[in-house]
Every structure is written in structure tokens, then in C-alpha cells.
Amino acid sequence: MLLGHPVAHSKSPALHNAALRAAGIPLVYEALDVEPAALDDALSALARANGAGNVTIPHKEAVAARCARLTDIARRCGAVNTFWHDDGELVGDNTDVGGFDATARLLVGERRGARVALIGAGGAAAAVLAAVEGWGNAQVSIYNRHMPRAMLLASRFPQIASPVADLTSALRDATLVVNTTPVGMRDSSHPVPLAMLPHGAAVFDLVYRADETAWVREARQAGHRAADGEGMLFEQAALAFQRWFGREPDRNAMWKSMH
Ligand code: NAP
């Protein structure tokens, strides 16, 4: 089950139903459009059914607040994207962190000492910070259009993160530029102008579209290593399947379902 609002565009049902079919598990994964006011009723129904699933915008923080138990990483993020029931208790995890980490490893290789420009300061940005905390000697500059939110997020990760007031400061010496805003989701706008990207910096857009985002495509044409959010979506789904069933999903079947 995917809880979100809206959810119609989501690739999660296709991914998980492919994994369930390949594993011979007689369950169906469905997307459930839940308005914020209906979240408690939806969670009560899921508790009665011993349900498990994922959470997306705008419910990740609200579900974290309602869990009886959180994994350390979900507590660090203050957000849940994966849940299940254990002895009747709601348990929350955050596999966006591992999904980002695995995809960033493929994109940049050695992540130790990375200098990250983080654009946006919402729930996905918190997952990026929780991953970067594990990289060793990495530093993150957070730029958000509303500075107070960047300051608040940075204060939760004081060892690695600083808020900055403008894009130029965020991008100074950056080896990895990460977009966690929805900019570019519905049109070809760029969260960071290509001309401002530091020479050699890798570009990671958490947004995904059917045929990549314009920012990722054009950054690659300009010589940057670049990835959109599809790989992260795939990896967080594979990790969620492991949490629910205690085994690896058929990654080929999942990958095929996305294309
Ligand atoms: P969120 O908590 O609502 O945060 C959104 C952030 O984007 C905020 O910092 C917000 O700034 C900023 N923002 C929104 N519209 C903007 C605009 N027009 N211009 C500049 N900044 C803007 O959302 P989220 O959960 O972090 O998700 C953010 C994005 O990441 C979504 O597109 C989501 O699909 C994507 N995502 C992808 C994956 C994946 O697996 N690939 C996983 C998680 C999230 P303010 O604070 O100023 O409002």
C-alpha cells in the first residue's frame, strides 16, 4: 500500500507488484490517495489488516509521529517512507536514505570528503543529510528559497550542514549538487542554472520523469556526471521489499516494470 496525496502518478505499484509476482507472493500493492484529514482512519484500517507499505508526500512526517517504533534512521530523518506492523505495533523506517546513498555511490564513487550543495530543505533533503552523515568528512551547504527552513534543517545536522543565503555560496567548491525541490517535475525548468554548476561537479536530481529531467539531460550534455531520481526510487523500493519480506526482490523484474 502506498499512502500519499496525490498518488496517481506513482511508479511504486508497478515496481512492487512486479517484485511480488516474481517472488510468488499472493499480495497486491495499491496506491491509496489519502487526504491529510483521513490519515488516522487509513492507519487504523491498516492496523486491523496488519498492513505494510510506503508513505509519500505529504504524510511522511505525520506517519513518523504516529509510529510506536522508528528505526534509528527514520528517527534521524523525522520522516517515514516505509512501514509495517509488528505485534500490532506500527513500525516506521526510511529507505529513501539507503536509496539516495546507493545511487550517489554509483554516481560519484568515493563519497568521503564530498562537498555537497543541497537545494531544498524538506523531507527529502533530510534523507540526503542522514545519508551524507555516514560518508566521512563530508560538508553540506543548504540553500532553500525560504532561509528559515534551511536553518532549521541544518541545526538538526550541525556536524555536516550549514545554511546559506544564496545559490552562489551553496555551489562554492561543490563536488555534488543535489536538487530536492520539485522544480523540473512538470516542465523543463532548472533548479540550478547550468552556467553556475562548478566544473566537474556531479549532478543528482531527486525528481524523475519518464525521459529524465531537462536539468539532468542538459547537465550531462555539458559534461557533468548526472542522474535523476529514478535510480533512488528503485533502490528505496528494493530496500522496502527487504524490510517487509526479509529477502532480496527480483531486481530485474522490478527494473523492467519501470520502463
Ligand atoms: P517537501 O518536504 O515538500 O519539500 C520541498 C522543498 O522544495 C522545500 O524546501 C521547498 O521550499 C522547495 N520548493 C518547493 N517548490 C519550490 C519551487 N517552486 N522553487 C524552489 N523551491 C521549491 O518535499 P520532499 O518530500 O522533500 O520532496 C521533494 C522532491 O523530491 C519531490 O519532487 C519528490 O518527488 C522528490 N523525491 C524523490 C524521491 C526519489 O526516490 N527519487 C524520494 C523522495 C522525494 P520551501 O521550504 O521554501 O517551501
Side-chain angles (χ1 to χ4, degrees), residues 29 56 101:
Y29 183 108
T56 188
D101 201 29

Side-chain angles (χ1 to χ4, degrees), residues 9 56-57 60-61 96 119-125 144-146 149 179-183 185 204-208 228-234 236:
H9 66 285
T56 188
I57 289 176
K60 289 182 180 180
E61 284 88 3
D96 283 338
I119 317 302
N144 194 48
R145 61 181 178 176
H146 297 119
R149 201 166 176 192
N179 174 43
T180 67
T181 77
V183 172
M185 193 183 244
F204 192 161
D205 194 351
L206 264 58
V207 174
Y208 55 88
D228 75 351
E230 192 180 62
M232 175 174 167
L233 179 80
F234 176 83
Q236 64 78 28

Side-chain angles (χ1 to χ4, degrees), residues 6-253:
V7 287
H9 66 285
S10 175
K11 288 188 175 184
S12 291
L15 269 168
H16 282 295
N17 284 322
L20 289 166
R21 271 194 306 276
I25 298 170
L27 293 172
V28 176
Y29 183 108
E30 288 174 355
L32 193 63
D33 196 317
V34 180
E35 292 195 15
L39 182 62
D40 284 327
D41 286 348
L43 288 175
S44 300
L46 279 163
R48 287 192 294 276
N50 202 28
N54 294 120
V55 185
T56 188
I57 289 176
H59 300 312
K60 289 182 180 180
E61 284 88 3
V63 170
R66 285 161 176 78
C67 282
R69 275 188 281 142
L70 293 173
T71 61
D72 288 345
I73 210 79
R75 192 173 303 108
R76 194 75 188 98
C77 296
V80 158
N81 84 323
T82 299
F83 67 88
W84 60 91
H85 286 86
D86 184 17
D87 275 341
E89 287 190 338
L90 183 61
V91 185
D93 194 5
N94 194 312
T95 66
D96 283 338
V97 179
F100 172 79
D101 201 29
T103 320
R105 189 177 60 235
L106 291 176
L107 182 66
V108 300
E110 175 59 57
R111 290 151 298 155
R112 194 177 170 75
R115 293 291 173 266
V116 182
L118 180 59
I119 317 302
V128 170
L129 286 163
V132 174
E133 261 187 336
W135 290 2
N137 193 29
Q139 289 296 320
V140 184
S141 296
I142 309 175
Y143 171 72
N144 194 48
R145 61 181 178 176
H146 297 119
M147 177 85 175
R149 201 166 176 192
M151 293 168 75
L152 191 64
L153 183 60
S155 72
R156 290 170 48 201
F157 296 85
Q159 305 293 332
I160 58 164
S162 325
V164 293
D166 56 82
L167 258 181
T168 306
S169 310
L171 294 166
R172 192 166 296 131
D173 302 327
T175 57
L176 174 63
V177 181
V178 183
N179 174 43
T180 67
T181 77
V183 172
M185 193 183 244
R186 289 194 178 76
D187 57 28
S188 56
S189 53
H190 292 181
V192 173
L194 292 183
M196 288 181 75
L197 292 172
H199 181 72
V203 165
F204 192 161
D205 194 351
L206 264 58
V207 174
Y208 55 88
R209 295 183 60 156
D211 191 20
E212 293 191 319
T213 60
W215 189 50
V216 161
R217 213 168 33 246
E218 291 170 31
R220 193 177 298 121
Q221 283 160 5
H224 297 270
R225 281 162 296 152
D228 75 351
E230 192 180 62
M232 175 174 167
L233 179 80
F234 176 83
E235 294 294 343
Q236 64 78 28
L239 288 167
F241 187 95
Q242 285 172 23
R243 301 290 188 277
W244 299 325
F245 301 110
R247 57 171 143 153
E248 275 282 328
D250 181 329
R251 295 169 70 91
N252 284 334

